[in-house]
Amino acid sequence: MAFNFGAPSGTSGTAAATAAPAGLFGGTQNKGFGFGTGFGTTTGTSTGLGTGLGSGLGFGGFNTQQQQQTTLGGLFSQPTQAPTQSNQLINTASALSAPTLLGDERDAILAKWNQLQAFWGTGKGYFNNNIPPVEFTQENPFCRFKAVGYSCMPNNKDEDGLVVLVFNKKETDIRSQQQQLVESLHKVLGGNQTLTVNVEGIKTLPDDQTEVVIYVVERSPNGTSRRVPATTLYAHFEQNNIKTQLQQLGVTLSMTRTELSPAQIKQLLQNPPAGVDPIIWEQAKVDNPDSEKLIPVPMVGFKELLRRLKVQDQMTKQHQTRLDIISEDISELQKNQTTTMAKIAQYKRKLMDLSHRTLQVLIKQEIQRKSGYAIQADEEQLRVQLDTIQCELNAPTQFKGRLNELMSQIRMQNHFGAVKSEERYYIDADLLREIKQHLKQQQEGLSHLISIIKDDLEDIKLVEHGLNETIHIRGGVFS
């Protein structure tokens, strides 16, 4: 994942933005559907929980909740004041291209400086003595430090009542004080006996923060129960006095975990976020690996990149921990399987031994029972069959001979296998090269020695031939 610096790019994040401790972009607070600042903010007025909580399945005071869903705003909203936006664009263009602050060649340098600030997404662009400077933020269209990633969309219904509370505490502290936390949240809800706070899950977040998913169950006098809708519970938590109590408990962020309607998803995808090039946004929609589960979200600035990196590292650690647990379970299962197989083999041997012993007992019992009786016809027939089988087994060309032949082949194979399995020694390549070089030198020395011996033999033959001629001459003289 990298910044595009003006070019389209997209990254696929493994962590859902609902796990973000401080909204989706930077430090803004998320008050909407649970993944992203600007997916919508919920405002409403409430008569409070009070004594109205126990009035049946209507969830008491929550029934009087009148909520207004604002236009999907924040980063995904379109400016509602067209003239103001037009003036802002004109001022920005003047600051970047033709400032008239000094009236000389220094205005060109100022224009380049304003361009640099706009690309960076910070600072003020001065361009006219009579007009206030332009404030450059990372949401401006010229900021280069932008990218588009993907976040998982929640798939929970509003009726599931899941609300996310992000605590500025470690997971170990939350788990050790989970019962006290549930009791404190029950007090925040008014302490009504018909309400029960339940913890759906606890997950670690970066920077020593923890995400706790809760839901509230309301019981009616007739014995039935239901979950309080997530939007209703979230609206109650957003009241000023309730929010103060939650902050005292260490809550830094609260949001619902509910799925978006098709109309809301369509509106989010059709309207590019503020400061994001529509071409890049369209390309991000095309590159979406799973449009049913993921939605493109902008990443503006290094702070957001760092946050997503921390979340991904955290998820990677959780996945690795889960893989380690699974690996340990598999190792334990393999050990149990080995132990079980050994016990099964032991029980088979024991069963065979008991079967032989039982057969011996039956034989002895049958012998005692038949003692004193003459051999009957069926017994004689059985004896004849057994003798025939014994003869066939002992015949040289039958089973016994074949068994002996097989035993001989097995012994030969074992002998050859033992010979083949003898140790073999291998010489290092460098050492082998040195040995070859040494043998080559020895061979050259032998060749040289052989040539010398041949020369000496020729000399000896020449001397011998001279001696023979001398003796022959002398013999002629004396004769």
Side-chain angles (χ1 to χ4, degrees):
M1 176 170 60
F3 286 107
N4 57 3
F5 291 92
S9 66
T11 57
S12 177
T14 60
T18 52
L24 185 60
F25 314 118
T28 56
Q29 188 177 12
N30 186 3
K31 298 181 180 179
F33 297 97
F35 63 105
T37 63
F39 276 17
T41 57
T42 305
T43 59
T45 57
S46 173
T47 58
L49 292 169
T51 59
L53 289 173
S55 57
L57 290 176
F59 197 66
F62 285 129
N63 250 358
T64 61
Q65 213 46 270
Q66 297 180 355
Q67 301 178 9
Q68 295 178 345
Q69 189 68 26
T70 62
T71 304
L72 296 172
L75 289 170
F76 292 94
S77 64
Q78 299 299 324
T80 57
Q81 297 179 358
T84 304
Q85 181 187 16
S86 178
N87 294 334
Q88 182 72 14
L89 291 176
I90 293 174
N91 293 339
T92 302
S94 300
L96 297 179
S97 60
T100 58
L101 185 67
L102 302 174
D104 53 19
E105 65 276 2
R106 291 177 294 177
D107 287 336
I109 300 175
L110 181 60
K112 293 182 179 180
W113 171 247
N114 291 338
Q115 292 173 11
L116 181 61
Q117 292 184 100
F119 293 160
W120 185 261
T122 183
K124 295 181 179 181
Y126 293 90
F127 64 97
N128 194 301
N129 291 319
N130 300 324
I131 302 177
V134 178
E135 187 76 25
F136 293 118
T137 63
Q138 292 181 339
E139 284 74 21
N140 79 83
F142 303 98
C143 181
R144 291 289 188 259
F145 301 106
K146 294 177 183 177
V148 179
Y150 300 93
S151 292
C152 296
M153 292 187 293
N155 55 3
N156 304 103
K157 304 290 185 181
D158 187 35
E159 294 77 12
D160 296 335
L162 298 182
V163 174
V164 178
L165 299 178
V166 178
F167 288 83
N168 196 19
K169 298 180 180 179
K170 296 182 179 180
E171 181 184 2
T172 54
D173 299 336
I174 294 293
R175 291 190 180 276
S176 62
Q177 302 175 0
Q178 181 173 342
Q179 186 60 34
Q180 293 87 337
L181 176 62
V182 171
E183 294 176 356
S184 300
L185 292 176
H186 187 262
K187 292 180 181 179
V188 171
L189 295 175
N192 196 296
Q193 298 301 321
T194 60
L195 300 178
T196 304
V197 179
N198 299 274
V199 177
E200 178 75 11
I202 301 176
K203 185 172 66 174
T204 302
L205 296 179
D207 301 327
D208 293 335
Q209 292 185 329
T210 305
E211 174 190 279
V212 180
V213 182
I214 66 169
Y215 64 91
V216 177
V217 177
E218 180 191 20
R219 297 188 306 274
S220 63
N222 58 6
T224 60
S225 62
R226 67 150 190 164
R227 291 191 181 188
V228 178
T231 53
T232 305
L233 184 59
Y234 170 75
H236 176 71
F237 284 158
E238 285 301 298
Q239 298 181 39
N240 293 331
N241 57 336
I242 302 299
K243 184 179 290 187
T244 302
Q245 298 180 32
L246 292 176
Q247 291 175 354
Q248 293 175 357
L249 296 177
V251 177
T252 59
L253 178 66
S254 62
M255 51 188 157
T256 60
R257 181 163 288 180
T258 55
E259 64 179 357
L260 298 175
S261 65
Q264 291 171 336
I265 295 176
K266 182 178 179 181
Q267 184 175 1
L268 291 176
L269 295 177
Q270 286 180 348
N271 301 322
V276 176
D277 191 343
I279 298 177
I280 298 177
W281 187 249
E282 291 298 327
Q283 185 63 36
K285 291 191 293 183
V286 173
D287 296 338
N288 192 341
D290 190 350
S291 58
E292 298 295 330
K293 297 181 180 179
L294 302 177
I295 189 170
V297 291
M299 295 182 295
V300 181
F302 290 100
K303 182 183 292 186
E304 174 60 18
L305 180 63
L306 178 61
R307 188 197 65 80
R308 290 181 71 94
L309 180 61
K310 289 182 178 179
V311 172
Q312 187 156 353
D313 288 342
Q314 189 68 37
M315 292 299 296
T316 302
K317 292 179 181 178
Q318 293 180 2
H319 292 164
Q320 186 61 45
T321 303
R322 177 57 57 185
L323 289 176
D324 294 340
I325 294 174
I326 294 174
S327 178
E328 293 176 359
D329 294 340
I330 292 175
S331 300
E332 188 67 24
L333 290 174
Q334 289 177 345
K335 292 180 181 178
N336 294 338
Q337 182 186 13
T338 304
T339 304
T340 304
M341 295 298 293
K343 289 183 178 179
I344 290 174
Q346 180 182 358
Y347 291 151
K348 284 183 177 179
R349 291 193 298 269
K350 189 175 182 180
L351 176 62
M352 185 66 66
D353 184 40
L354 292 176
S355 300
H356 291 167
R357 293 175 61 184
T358 303
L359 183 60
Q360 291 177 359
V361 171
L362 290 175
I363 291 172
K364 291 181 180 180
Q365 184 181 3
E366 190 68 16
I367 291 173
Q368 291 179 0
R369 190 176 68 84
K370 294 290 184 178
S371 178
Y373 292 92
I375 298 177
Q376 299 179 359
D378 55 348
E379 295 176 346
E380 181 66 22
Q381 185 179 3
L382 182 61
R383 186 180 66 81
V384 172
Q385 292 178 358
L386 291 174
D387 290 340
T388 304
I389 294 173
Q390 185 69 24
C391 292
E392 290 181 356
L393 291 175
N394 293 331
T397 59
Q398 294 295 326
F399 301 102
K400 189 172 183 179
R402 294 181 181 178
L403 288 175
N404 292 333
E405 184 179 355
L406 290 175
M407 290 296 297
S408 301
Q409 292 180 0
I410 291 173
R411 291 192 188 97
M412 292 178 63
Q413 289 180 358
N414 292 336
H415 175 69
F416 289 148
V419 172
K420 291 181 180 179
S421 61
E422 292 180 356
E423 294 184 357
R424 295 182 179 180
Y425 298 95
Y426 297 91
I427 302 177
D428 184 71
D430 296 334
L431 181 60
L432 182 62
R433 193 180 304 109
E434 292 179 1
I435 293 174
K436 288 181 178 180
Q437 184 68 22
H438 179 71
L439 293 176
K440 184 178 180 181
Q441 293 175 358
Q442 293 290 335
Q443 187 177 6
E444 292 175 355
L446 290 174
S447 300
H448 184 66
L449 181 61
I450 290 172
S451 62
I452 292 174
I453 292 174
K454 287 181 179 180
D455 294 338
D456 292 340
L457 287 175
E458 291 178 356
D459 294 338
I460 292 173
K461 287 181 180 179
L462 183 62
V463 171
E464 185 179 1
H465 180 69
L467 290 175
N468 289 333
E469 288 182 352
T470 303
I471 293 173
H472 179 69
I473 293 171
R474 289 180 179 179
V477 172
F478 289 114
S479 61

